[in-house]
Amino acid sequence: MAPMALTVGFDLDMTLIDSRPGIRACYQALSERTGTYIDADLAVTRLGPPLAEELINWFPAGKIQVMADLYREMYPSIAIAATPAMTGAREAIAAVREAGGRAIVVTAKYEPNAKLHLAHLGIEPDAVIGDLWAEQKAEALREHDAGVYVGDHVGDVRGARAAGALSVAVATGPCPEEELRAAGADVVLTDLTEFPRWLSDYRPARA
């Protein structure tokens, strides 16, 4: 069988990387620096949406942009080294390549910081596109002709559906399996360790 011409998109936070330790530490540092209380443990239970959607819980609307800029400035020295890859992340990217496909990352995270995470962990996708959330992700998925999008949040499911891509969800983030299915995920995996086998089965079915 000829290699499939397929591009697979992946979300970043809680899909390819467990960003909770780094983000928790960064919120704690932001709280200390600004003198504003932030419940970092609560914040890391709802990762996925853009940074501003979390900051609005702790800062007045007029300060959100300034706080977001400060957070992003502090982030590389605090969060990158503290963040491990999710189990199966490297193998999932490798499975796409071994199948003759392209692997891209489409994330709501600030793009320069997303790239720092991947470089630190030695994960090398074919492209990284940041600053896109939910249906906005469809822009990048369509541009790169992605047929599959893998993510952990209902926002990722919405992005895949908006792009006309197959939604493969992993129940490793804040959204449980039932919520992902209710949002319209085509496939729900326990985690990325199940992805290579799924992809192997999907290729013949697609052919």
Side-chain angles (χ1 to χ4, degrees):
M1 182 183 297
M4 67 176 184
L6 177 67
T7 296
V8 178
F10 291 88
D11 176 50
L12 185 64
D13 287 4
M14 303 312 299
T15 299
L16 289 176
I17 65 173
D18 184 352
S19 50
R20 290 172 297 183
I23 289 177
R24 180 187 289 109
C26 202
Y27 276 132
Q28 289 170 337
L30 182 64
S31 177
E32 182 177 345
R33 182 154 171 182
T34 62
T36 300
Y37 173 72
I38 300 173
D39 188 338
D41 290 321
L42 175 60
V44 298
T45 67
R46 49 194 185 200
L47 299 181
L51 174 62
E53 293 192 22
E54 182 60 45
L55 293 178
I56 197 66
N57 295 302
W58 314 107
F59 296 96
K63 290 190 175 181
I64 297 304
Q65 188 57 58
V66 172
M67 291 300 105
D69 290 344
L70 178 57
Y71 174 96
R72 287 167 176 154
E73 177 187 326
M74 298 166 65
Y75 192 94
S77 63
I78 296 172
I80 302 300
T83 299
M86 295 293 282
T87 303
R90 294 181 179 87
E91 292 82 358
I93 298 289
V96 175
R97 296 262 173 71
E98 289 166 6
R102 296 178 69 248
I104 66 172
V105 172
V106 183
T107 174
K109 189 178 287 296
Y110 181 54
E111 187 173 304
N113 288 341
K115 290 179 176 177
L116 287 175
H117 274 299
L118 293 163
H120 175 74
L121 294 170
I123 298 174
E124 299 180 351
D126 294 284
V128 180
I129 306 96
D131 305 292
L132 297 175
W133 163 240
E135 287 83 358
Q136 295 173 343
K137 294 187 174 189
E139 303 168 19
L141 296 173
R142 285 193 297 261
E143 180 182 348
H144 289 268
D145 195 26
V148 175
Y149 185 58
V150 184
D152 66 282
H153 199 283
V154 293
D156 300 322
V157 176
R158 290 173 10 223
R161 293 179 67 85
L166 191 80
S167 172
V168 176
V170 285
T172 50
C175 301
E177 178 180 344
E178 309 78 53
E179 189 176 355
L180 294 165
R181 290 193 186 280
D186 298 294
V187 178
V188 180
L189 307 177
T190 302
D191 58 32
L192 283 179
T193 63
E194 298 178 359
F195 179 80
R197 179 182 291 274
W198 172 83
L199 183 64
S200 178
D201 291 340
Y202 172 66
R203 288 173 60 203
R206 184 170 180 266

